[in-house]
Amino acid sequence: MMRCAFSFIKDQLVSILKGYDLSEGFEGRITVEPPKDLSHGDMATNAAMVLCKQVGQNPRQFAEDLKQKLEKISGIESIDIAGPGFINMRLTKSFWLDRLRDILQAGTSYGDSDQGASHKVNVEYVSANPTGPMHVGHTRGAVLGDVLCNLLAKVGYDVTREYYINDAGSQIDVLAESAYLRYLEALGEDIGEIPSGLYPGDYLVPVGQKLKDEFNISLKSLDKASRAEKIKPVVLSMMMEMIRCDLDLLGVVHDVFTSEQELRDSGAVDRALKVLEDKDLLYIGVLEPPKGKKPDDWEERPQTLFKSTEFGDDVDRPIKKSDGSWTYFAPDIAYHYDKFARGFTSMIDILGADHGGYVKRIQSATRAVSDDKASLDVQICQLVNLMEGGVPVKMSKRAGNIVTLKDIVEKVGKDVVRFMMVTRKNDTTLDFDLKKALEQSKDNPIFYVQYAHARCCSVFQHALEMFDSEGLEDLALSESDFEGLENDAELNLLKMLSHWPRVVDSAASHHEPHRLAYYLFDVAGALHGLWSMGRDDANLRFLLEDDLVKTKARLALLRACSIIIASGLHVFGIKPVEEMR
RNA sequence: GCGCCCGUAGCUCAGCAGGAUAGAGCAACUGACUUCUAAUCAGUAGGUCGGGGGUUCGAAUCCUCCCGGGCGCGCCA
């Protein structure tokens, strides 16, 4: 595994600092990072400002002291002390050229790290109710979850991708009843308009047909409850099949599907609640009505509550309805308990915007049920506003003109959908413009990035006329002479590329894959800029007929650039394109 | 009423665990196509980081109050 340039220098700095009398854990407080302004140098550290008090010096004094020692490190060319006590380091050219070698040797595994140290982490995402096809709203969570998993795997976590099937509860009764109508329809009856409250979508038509094939007319003689028992397994398996197809279109995969009904049937819910009861965290109580929005039919009713307030929640939360049956929260507790029992102490849930109010209670329950050993991070995906050329696409569930995941993927393609869905922080709403997503311009980030990759590949096609193909292999290139890289644009691109491990690291530890998207956009910009310099000055082109050594150095840089872009797109689950014509 | 999230250029948004003169893209304006793909590039212009207070060497970032928007708040999941 390649050392990140920044952590390499930081390690050197830390070992120098160990010669001072500093308090435990000082490493975590100091940073070595690229300065905002390139003219300040390659790397800056705040160490002198942060730690000067401990050594009883003023920051500039301490910085001066550290400077003397840092200057002896090979790879550091010069050091300036600036502002309140920043230590700005400029690294030698050969230090950076070595990074180019690293990238070529590591290939797309450049940026991999052992941050996760093979710890198990469980990521639950999508978890759309099995009552219909997936729509736009689900897509964002699906992509975020999938990409986050890729990212965590890249930094060394042992990732399990999980889907929770909400196949119990009243929405499934409604589903069964809706399917029953379609069954009657399949038998030739006129069912008229689907009554409100039932699922109107025609995706249930094949389910009606299947029920007819399986049961003939026998369902008609059963009462509502017993026919529902017959219908549910059929409709649920067909719905899950449909969802799996939708996910497949997006290229989203899961390792484990957990059924809520099975948790209920297996006694897992009872066992989880027993754990809470033994800790004295359950009681019978009466909830206050929500202020300012008191339901008309509100009346006080005692129900079983979980003391989530002991874990920082605002009110205690019901786990049983007033009739004694479980709320959805109860099996959810069981589910997270089950994850803990399977050895997961790190869990991530990706939920939709309407679950915002749910975060504290499920985190509380996870802590309670695991004796505070497991932690749960919840990422809430805000809404996606679907647009077409700047105009919102009108959707109405009732009218049945919901835009489905399938519609979108068929329209713009899976790779485009995937990239667009993670170009924003998940906790802000996202405008997804179908027209813009297909545009071939800088306004469309995925196009811009892909185009940069294609350009790199294009030069290599031409290079085959100058070199034999073995000489252009990554390992062969990595052994070339890179001294010919000398202008600022080239070296700046190289420096930017060697930031990649930092970017991956920070995106992974913050669970924020969108950072990668912005970084890739920047890399693409740097590449396009470098490219265009060759138009004004033929000596700045990548391929120079009369200087094969320099050409090879430039090809190496170009190759590194395409490696980084490919590596980033790989995390997004997107195939880099090699040609655009 | 309470909780969570958001508020940064005309528009859409970045801003990494507080760091230096707050950055991109679009739109606007100026310039560059006999090319390794101009599907692009270079440049100009545009901001009291919603507002007030606080914490400190230093705040868009942390705390607090207020304003504006979104989501949610027992028998839907």
Side-chain angles (χ1 to χ4, degrees):
Chain A
M1 209 165 286
M2 289 301 165
R3 297 285 291 124
C4 162
F6 292 86
S7 55
F8 175 77
I9 296 296
K10 183 174 174 180
D11 287 351
Q12 312 271 329
L13 175 63
V14 165
S15 63
I16 288 172
L17 287 165
K18 281 191 172 147
Y20 294 84
D21 185 22
L22 296 170
S23 62
E24 202 68 17
F26 72 87
E27 297 98 323
R29 299 179 53 207
I30 61 172
T31 57
V32 174
E33 52 194 4
K36 262 182 206 159
D37 189 339
L38 279 178
S39 68
H40 289 140
D42 298 321
M43 292 185 191
T45 177
N46 60 358
M49 291 178 290
V50 171
L51 302 174
C52 61
K53 278 185 186 160
Q54 292 189 35
V55 296
Q57 296 186 37
N58 75 47
R60 298 212 39 133
Q61 228 175 2
F62 188 36
E64 201 60 49
D65 208 25
L66 291 174
K67 174 182 167 182
Q68 309 274 323
K69 295 174 172 145
L70 282 164
E71 273 172 341
K72 299 196 180 103
I73 294 174
S74 91
I76 295 185
E77 185 172 85
S78 65
I79 294 182
D80 289 316
I81 295 173
F86 286 100
I87 300 175
N88 290 328
M89 294 168 272
R90 200 170 294 279
L91 303 190
T92 60
K93 181 174 165 184
S94 71
F95 177 88
W96 292 114
L97 296 183
D98 283 344
R99 303 290 77 76
L100 178 52
R101 248 172 278 280
D102 287 349
I103 297 171
L104 292 167
Q105 283 165 14
T108 51
S109 71
Y110 187 68
D112 289 8
S113 75
D114 58 358
Q115 181 193 127
S118 299
H119 283 311
K120 289 176 69 167
V121 58
N122 183 292
V123 186
E124 176 197 335
Y125 55 107
V126 187
S127 302
N129 285 344
T131 54
M134 293 181 56
H135 54 78
V136 207
H138 299 122
T139 311
R140 189 174 186 184
V143 174
L144 174 68
D146 195 57
V147 172
L148 185 54
C149 286
N150 292 344
L151 180 55
L152 292 173
K154 187 171 176 66
V155 297
Y157 284 93
D158 176 7
V159 182
T160 297
R161 303 151 180 263
E162 193 141 338
Y163 188 117
Y164 182 50
I165 310 170
N166 288 117
D167 54 0
S170 59
Q171 86 279 8
I172 302 303
D173 295 323
V174 172
L175 177 69
E177 198 53 22
S178 310
Y180 179 65
L181 267 189
R182 296 298 187 177
Y183 161 75
L184 295 179
E185 186 181 46
L187 289 175
E189 294 186 22
D190 178 13
I191 56 169
E193 200 166 312
I194 308 284
S196 108
L198 296 188
Y199 295 103
D202 55 12
Y203 57 86
L204 287 173
V205 171
V207 179
Q209 191 60 46
K210 179 89 186 288
L211 290 169
K212 179 190 155 200
D213 296 346
E214 197 148 319
F215 297 107
N216 202 342
I217 58 165
S218 69
L219 290 178
K220 287 183 70 174
S221 55
L222 299 173
D223 62 50
K224 194 171 170 180
S226 30
R227 81 182 174 226
E229 287 319 301
K230 300 271 189 202
I231 294 172
K232 280 183 190 176
V234 176
V235 65
L236 281 171
S237 81
M238 288 180 79
M239 291 300 100
M240 281 313 293
E241 187 51 38
M242 186 170 69
I243 288 173
R244 281 182 204 244
C245 283
D246 284 349
L247 290 172
D248 197 50
L249 285 175
L250 251 194
V252 169
V253 293
H254 290 86
D255 305 313
V256 178
F257 287 78
T258 301
S259 151
E260 177 185 352
Q261 190 63 54
E262 277 172 31
L263 284 173
R264 289 171 180 255
D265 294 345
S266 69
V269 181
D270 293 304
R271 284 195 299 277
L273 297 188
K274 179 79 168 39
V275 173
L276 295 178
E277 204 172 342
D278 290 347
K279 292 175 193 281
D280 198 25
L281 291 169
L282 298 184
Y283 68 103
I284 309 280
V286 175
L287 281 176
E288 299 274 318
K291 297 213 166 53
K293 187 208 150 188
K294 185 169 174 173
D296 298 338
D297 59 346
W298 181 272
E299 47 182 287
E300 293 193 348
R301 283 169 184 163
Q303 52 193 145
T304 305
L305 303 174
F306 163 59
K307 291 184 187 171
S308 49
T309 45
E310 290 198 5
F311 301 87
D313 202 354
D314 317 300
V315 289
D316 291 337
R317 303 293 179 174
I319 60 168
K320 282 190 182 174
K321 301 174 189 171
S322 54
D323 67 1
S325 64
W326 290 317
T327 64
Y328 67 97
F329 186 34
D332 244 17
I333 294 173
Y335 181 38
H336 287 81
Y337 182 53
D338 179 61
K339 290 182 193 172
F340 176 62
R342 281 186 274 142
F344 294 103
T345 53
S346 284
M347 309 174 195
I348 300 172
D349 287 2
I350 313 275
L351 300 178
D354 52 344
H355 287 66
Y358 188 58
V359 177
K360 281 187 185 172
R361 84 188 64 168
I362 191 63
Q363 284 177 327
S364 301
T366 302
R367 286 177 54 198
V369 100
S370 69
D371 254 338
D372 238 335
K373 291 194 185 89
S375 70
L376 170 67
D377 178 37
V378 181
Q379 296 284 327
I380 296 291
C381 275
Q382 286 300 332
L383 304 175
V384 176
N385 297 323
L386 201 59
M387 319 276 276
E388 177 108 46
V391 186
V393 175
K394 290 225 163 58
M395 282 187 275
S396 141
K397 212 163 199 169
R398 190 59 218 156
N401 64 345
I402 290 284
V403 179
T404 63
L405 180 154
K406 193 176 174 200
D407 294 335
I408 305 180
V409 172
E410 283 175 354
K411 185 148 190 184
V412 304
K414 130 182 132 60
D415 286 355
V416 172
V417 173
R418 291 183 67 107
F419 196 82
M420 298 306 274
M421 287 294 168
V422 282
T423 49
R424 292 280 177 269
K425 274 195 301 246
N426 54 278
D427 47 17
T428 60
T429 56
L430 165 70
D431 289 342
F432 182 88
D433 196 308
L434 291 167
K435 199 172 167 197
K436 197 163 276 184
L438 286 175
E439 212 169 278
Q440 303 210 322
S441 76
K442 195 174 182 179
D443 202 16
N444 178 2
I446 179 59
F447 167 77
Y448 189 70
V449 171
Q450 290 279 31
Y451 184 36
H453 187 270
R455 276 186 151 173
C456 293
C457 296
S458 160
V459 177
F460 268 75
Q461 283 306 312
H462 289 274
L464 284 172
E465 291 160 19
M466 297 169 65
F467 301 95
D468 56 60
S469 58
E470 294 94 70
L472 297 179
E473 298 287 327
D474 292 351
L475 284 183
L477 279 176
S478 78
E479 281 163 21
S480 326
D481 174 4
F482 298 152
E483 284 300 321
L485 296 175
E486 52 196 358
N487 74 66
D488 285 349
E490 289 168 338
L491 293 173
N492 286 342
L493 175 59
L494 171 56
K495 288 171 188 177
M496 186 185 278
L497 296 177
S498 56
H499 293 183
W500 175 237
R502 279 187 89 244
V503 176
V504 171
D505 225 59
S506 78
S509 50
H510 289 82
H511 300 165
E512 290 186 348
H514 74 275
R515 293 185 188 189
L516 304 186
Y518 281 90
Y519 170 81
L520 291 181
F521 189 81
D522 287 344
V523 169
L527 185 275
H528 290 307
L530 184 58
W531 179 288
S532 300
M533 291 174 71
R535 274 201 310 255
D536 300 329
D537 180 351
N539 291 319
L540 292 177
R541 294 196 181 181
F542 297 106
L543 303 178
L544 305 169
E545 296 289 347
D546 56 355
D547 192 340
L548 296 185
V549 175
K550 192 174 261 191
T551 297
K552 260 210 166 155
R554 289 180 177 173
L555 285 170
L557 176 63
L558 215 47
R559 178 62 193 148
C561 188
S562 66
I563 285 173
I564 298 294
I565 291 176
S567 168
L569 292 178
H570 183 72
V571 175
F572 289 115
I574 295 172
K575 195 172 183 303
V577 306
E578 302 195 346
E579 194 178 39
M580 286 182 168
R581 286 283 175 189

